[in-house]
Each structure stands twice: as structure tokens, then as C-alpha cells.
Amino acid sequence: MRVDVDLLKRSIAASGKTKETVAKEIGIDYSTFTRKMNCDALAFSVGQMHKLVDVLSLSKDQASQIFFAQ
């Protein structure tokens, strides 16, 4: 499973939030969040994905495009 990091970054920007704020709202340290965004080997947990969907108000289609990228 690959995360479309560019689309996730655009979704964060579109929400008007910073990466720091999003990390705090999903309950992880900012440094951990940035590592997950920058390293394919570190995936978001299912719980973190659900929290990101809520925090960023993503639709099902947007979430699928981000978290299940081809």
C-alpha cells in the first residue's frame, strides 16, 4: 500500500492547517509525522488514516486516492 504524499500535502494545505497542527490532531509527534510523509517504509496506521480523514474532512474518494495509491 502506497500513500500519495503529494496529494496528502495538497489536502493539508487545502484544509488551511499546518503539518504540525495535523500531527497534533491525529495524536502523533510532528517528527514522526514528517518521517511517515517522507519515507515509504513508514506507513500510517489504520487508526491514523481514519483520524486524517476526519481532521482533513476527506471524502471516501479522496481518502482512497491518498491512502491506496497505485
Side-chain angles (χ1 to χ4, degrees):
M1 174 171 43
R2 189 179 77 74
V3 174
D4 186 332
V5 176
D6 291 330
L7 186 52
L8 179 56
K9 287 178 181 178
R10 289 194 304 267
S11 297
I12 292 169
S15 75
K17 298 180 182 197
T18 64
K19 289 186 282 185
E20 294 89 348
T21 301
V22 172
K24 185 175 182 178
E25 289 182 5
I26 68 167
I28 62 175
D29 186 71
Y30 176 65
S31 63
T32 301
F33 184 74
T34 56
R35 278 194 305 275
K36 287 178 181 274
M37 298 269 296
N38 294 326
C39 182
D40 287 337
L42 297 174
F44 289 100
S45 70
V46 172
Q48 290 166 343
M49 286 188 263
H50 283 286
K51 288 178 184 179
L52 282 165
V53 168
D54 290 339
V55 165
L56 299 175
S57 300
L58 299 173
S59 69
K60 288 182 181 182
D61 287 339
Q62 289 170 315
S64 292
Q65 290 173 354
I66 292 170
F67 299 113
F68 302 105
Q70 296 294 324

